[in-house]
Amino acid sequence: MTLHQDIHQDIRLVVLDMAGTTVADGGLVERAFAAAARHVGADPAAGIDHVRATMGESKISVFRHLFGDETKAQEANRAFEAAYADLVDGGEVAALPGAREAVEELTAQGRTVVLSTGFARPTQDAILAALGWQDLVPVTLCPADAGGRGRPYPDMVLTAFLRTGAADAVGQVAVVGDTSYDMLSGVRAGAGLVAGVLTGAHETPALRSAGATHVLGSVAELPRLLAKEGT
């Protein structure tokens, strides 16, 4: 067996998406987007298809694409974050079944787990606080933590790799998410395992076409997959 193969069979760092992967979305992103669009005088229906197609991408990037104007995009992004925060404060966010247990089991297996998101830091922190997850993992990342570029760029995955020091090579990294953009970020980072889950935005064909090496029913299946494969 070659060194390259050994590295890919020893997953030491797991980068998990939040909304749709470990956190139930329940349409909250679409509701917050509708509020943001109305705030800047846009028709939510005109942009909803793009929002759905780009789930997982940093939200400011989505608004830049939709509105073209940086000032309007920033205003929409602030309105989105405020609307999403209101939904979180209203108790409308929950962990997906088995998500916390999966993180704890991965940690018990000796792996380092990082939670990443396309949301801004205040929203991410609000979600973590609402779930009581502030101390669940050693590192949480949003696009700003990786120089401002979110998915589908590999920056957050590579930031997790560098910041944790948990893996000796990117082949020892697993990236898990519910969108094609999650899969692309993992592929572009050179992750040894790129797994899609079916609890969020995209279905198997989209996940596979974006480079998923595995497709799972939910993140709850991940610890068993890694243990079974000896990774």
Side-chain angles (χ1 to χ4, degrees), residues 61-98:
S61 296
V62 174
F63 289 122
R64 283 173 179 146
H65 175 88
L66 288 173
F67 301 131
D69 177 76
E70 180 67 16
T71 299
K72 190 172 183 178
Q74 291 289 348
E75 185 179 354
N77 190 62
R78 286 191 293 270
F80 173 89
E81 298 288 349
Y84 201 96
D86 286 344
L87 292 168
V88 171
D89 290 343
E92 297 197 47
V93 65
L96 280 163

Side-chain angles (χ1 to χ4, degrees), residues 6-223:
D6 283 338
I7 286 173
H8 280 71
Q9 292 185 354
D10 182 18
I11 298 298
R12 299 183 186 178
L13 172 62
V14 182
V15 182
L16 297 178
D17 172 50
M18 291 182 65
T21 302
T22 54
V23 180
D25 174 59
L28 299 190
V29 168
E30 292 187 16
R31 289 166 62 185
F33 165 73
R38 288 192 294 268
H39 179 79
V40 297
D43 178 8
I48 193 62
D49 286 343
H50 181 74
V51 170
R52 290 169 178 161
T54 56
M55 286 289 188
E57 184 178 1
S58 64
K59 298 301 172 277
I60 184 60
S61 296
V62 174
F63 289 122
R64 283 173 179 146
H65 175 88
L66 288 173
F67 301 131
D69 177 76
E70 180 67 16
T71 299
K72 190 172 183 178
Q74 291 289 348
E75 185 179 354
N77 190 62
R78 286 191 293 270
F80 173 89
E81 298 288 349
Y84 201 96
D86 286 344
L87 292 168
V88 171
D89 290 343
E92 297 197 47
V93 65
L96 280 163
R100 184 186 182 104
E101 292 80 2
V103 172
E104 292 173 340
E105 188 172 350
L106 290 167
T107 301
Q109 290 175 351
R111 312 181 205 279
T112 298
V113 181
V114 169
L115 291 173
S116 66
T117 184
F119 294 134
R121 170 57 61 182
T123 303
Q124 183 179 36
D125 286 345
I127 295 170
L128 293 170
L131 298 177
W133 282 10
Q134 298 97 322
D135 300 317
L136 182 61
V137 299
V139 175
T140 61
L141 295 173
C142 66
D145 298 316
R149 294 203 310 180
R151 310 178 190 108
Y153 297 102
D155 301 32
M156 285 197 290
V157 178
L158 296 176
T159 298
F161 173 77
L162 293 170
R163 187 173 295 186
T164 64
D168 296 329
V170 290
Q172 295 173 332
V173 179
V175 174
V176 185
D178 66 299
T179 73
S180 59
Y181 276 26
D182 291 305
M183 303 302 95
L184 285 170
S185 71
V187 170
R188 292 173 177 178
L193 185 145
V194 180
V197 295
L198 299 175
T199 49
H202 295 159
E203 299 296 330
T204 298
L207 297 170
R208 286 288 190 187
S209 66
T213 59
H214 299 73
V215 176
L216 308 175
S218 78
V219 73
E221 299 174 18
L222 184 63

